[in-house]
Amino acid sequence: MTSQMTCDEIEQGDVMERYLLGRLDEASRDEVDEHLFTCDACFERLQTLRALRRELAATVGVRGVEVVPEKAGWIWRWTLLPALAVLVVAIGVTLGPRAFPPSGQSTSTSPGRPDRPAGTPGQPSPMALAELGKFQPPAFAAASLRGVPEAATARFRDGMAHYARGDYRGAIAGLRAAAALDPQAAHATFFLGICHVLNGELNDGIRALQQTIDAGDSPYLEEAHLYLARTFLQNLDPIRARQEIERTIGLRGPLEKDARQLLADLDRLPTTTP
Amino acid sequence: MSAETFILLPDRARLGSVQKEKNDRLARTVPPETWVRSALLTPAEQLSLVDRIRQGDGLAEEELVARFSARIEVFAAGRTHDRELARDVMQEVLLNVFSALRAGQLRDAEKLGAFVFGIARNVVNNHLRSRSRHPASEPISDDLPAIDDDDDLADRMALVKRALRRLDATDQRILSMTLVDGCKPGEISSALGLSSDVVRARKSRALKKVTDRVRTWLRSGSR
């Protein structure tokens, strides 16, 4: 039997990376191998690195080119904007300012209520704002079960089973329960917010997305800012939407490009005339 | 053959939500109060598992397979660089392990992992000798059925993809040059116009981000 490396020894330096690349001497490799037979955490890390290398290799043909952004599905809406703009201007000219109700009448008073209603002179028209704010549900697929789920995870999975079928109303109960059991669970509050918005409950959606952001750094932080921006647009609140877009840009993450595009689209929206 | 591993094991308080038959079986076979995160098995669990295998308990054998098959296959693939052979080796090692355990050849049952590793190493070396090949230190292959056929790795691939998209383009490139091209920080620094220290730091942070995110998402059951 060889002597084993410890987790700390493997963490230090680039032992796992060198192991993966075949750059360890035989004795060290044996030590790592034996350790992997007795440690779940290190074996899991190795499996992730193997998967990572495979994924990187799949994109190696485009090395130096950024990996395709996750939210490419939003692009289709931008292509509709010119046509929409023409339509909105035509309606505005034909019917005048009374064509659209003030934003305060279209939604209940809430944390999402606009500070400065859209549709006023110099502001984008409500229809264009709402259209710009629409989004498709972010992708989600359940992973296979590993071990027994804790209560919050079990409820989250219940909710996401509805979500996967497009039943956003049905998903809310499970996601709300998961978020109540673990308020710091960003994945639960994020998808809860998304489901509320897709179900037309904008103010509840705003609260849940804000809760995701308040939870601090998480895999959902950047998305939460951008989806919150879109929700504010749907809620006819371009000022707060703009703030969230700028926060998304400030994170300098992979959604920065989407956020900049959204900001540009917002700036290009036709405004109502006095 | 299932290669599922139980990455996150629950404590007793969480057992009320056990639904899956597989987990029910695991709950019966492993005392829940001793379940811990990350550790493979506690000494008591190893003793119990070995004992039950000696008594011919099929569930105990399944548990051993679930815990070690992926490890054996990855190890064998790394040494032989032959995906078919790695799978054959995995089967052979498991048969040898069962046979040895039933024969009472494991004297210190608390060292089950090391025992399985020892058998795996012997089997691999025998194969390499028979093919007049010596174990070479070459990159661990990831072109394996273990990725394609294993639910765990299929899930992990999806999560890795997502985590990768959250890195900026420079970090992605540093990881690609490191893990795919095998470049060292000095080589990457020349190509990207960064200092070696910056490359090293960014690589380390990016790897940690990916592995931490994947672990978090696996725990949440999302991808």
Side-chain angles (χ1 to χ4, degrees), chain A residues 17 20-21 52-53 56, chain B residues 175-182 207:
Chain A
E17 181 190 314
L20 193 69
L21 294 170
L52 175 61
R53 190 172 62 168
L56 288 166
Chain B
L175 291 187
S176 181
M177 292 179 79
T178 301
L179 296 177
V180 180
D181 301 336
L207 282 173

Side-chain angles (χ1 to χ4, degrees), chain A:
Chain A
M1 295 280 166
T2 59
S3 62
Q4 277 189 41
M5 279 194 186
T6 64
C7 295
D8 285 343
E9 287 168 338
I10 288 176
E11 285 273 338
Q12 289 162 5
D14 301 323
V15 172
M16 194 66 91
E17 181 190 314
R18 284 189 285 142
Y19 173 84
L20 193 69
L21 294 170
R23 287 184 179 155
L24 290 179
D25 58 58
E26 195 168 337
S28 300
R29 187 184 57 178
D30 271 356
E31 289 179 26
V32 174
D33 274 329
E34 184 166 354
H35 179 82
L36 291 171
F37 272 73
T38 61
C39 178
D40 272 346
C42 289
F43 184 67
E44 189 201 340
R45 188 155 163 254
L46 172 68
Q47 295 289 70
T48 298
L49 290 179
R50 288 176 67 220
L52 175 61
R53 190 172 62 168
R54 173 177 262 210
E55 178 59 27
L56 288 166
T59 58
V60 81
V62 290
R63 196 175 58 224
V65 176
E66 194 170 359
V67 174
V68 178
E70 194 170 10
K71 297 294 178 277
W74 288 357
I75 291 169
W76 69 270
R77 279 188 301 281
W78 300 331
T79 63
L80 293 179
L81 280 177
L84 179 68
V86 171
L87 178 65
V88 168
V89 169
I91 292 173
V93 168
T94 307
L95 300 177
R98 289 198 300 174
F100 307 111
S103 61
Q105 292 174 19
S106 62
T107 57
S108 59
T109 55
S110 71
R113 188 176 59 185
D115 296 330
R116 190 176 168 192
T120 53
Q123 289 294 305
S125 70
M127 181 185 284
L129 278 177
E131 186 62 30
L132 184 61
K134 284 182 184 171
F135 57 78
Q136 291 187 324
F140 175 84
S144 59
L145 186 69
R146 290 173 189 77
V148 184
E150 56 187 298
T153 300
R155 299 307 305 270
F156 174 74
R157 289 179 186 180
D158 289 346
M160 293 313 287
H162 287 274
Y163 185 92
R165 295 195 296 269
D167 177 12
Y168 308 114
R169 180 186 293 273
I172 287 173
L175 295 175
R176 188 186 284 138
L181 287 165
D182 184 0
Q184 293 300 307
H187 53 281
T189 55
F190 173 74
F191 281 106
L192 176 61
I194 295 294
C195 286
H196 276 307
V197 176
L198 292 170
N199 201 35
E201 297 156 356
L202 300 185
N203 295 322
D204 289 334
I206 288 168
R207 280 193 202 92
L209 290 171
Q210 189 61 58
Q211 193 179 341
T212 309
I213 293 166
D214 292 344
D217 188 29
S218 77
Y220 294 91
L221 179 62
E222 193 186 9
E223 284 173 281
H225 277 298
L226 196 52
Y227 280 95
L228 183 57
R230 289 187 172 274
T231 306
F232 277 133
L233 289 175
Q234 289 188 44
N235 209 25
L236 311 182
D237 188 348
I239 294 171
R240 293 171 78 177
R242 190 179 294 274
Q243 290 169 351
E244 291 304 324
I245 295 170
E246 284 166 355
R247 284 171 187 147
T248 311
I249 293 170
L251 291 173
R252 304 280 180 228
L255 294 181
E256 181 183 352
K257 196 187 292 181
D258 288 329
R260 289 190 185 281
Q261 182 65 56
L262 183 59
L263 192 59
D265 291 338
L266 179 57
D267 287 339
R268 279 201 296 268
L269 282 183
T271 56
T272 53
T273 51

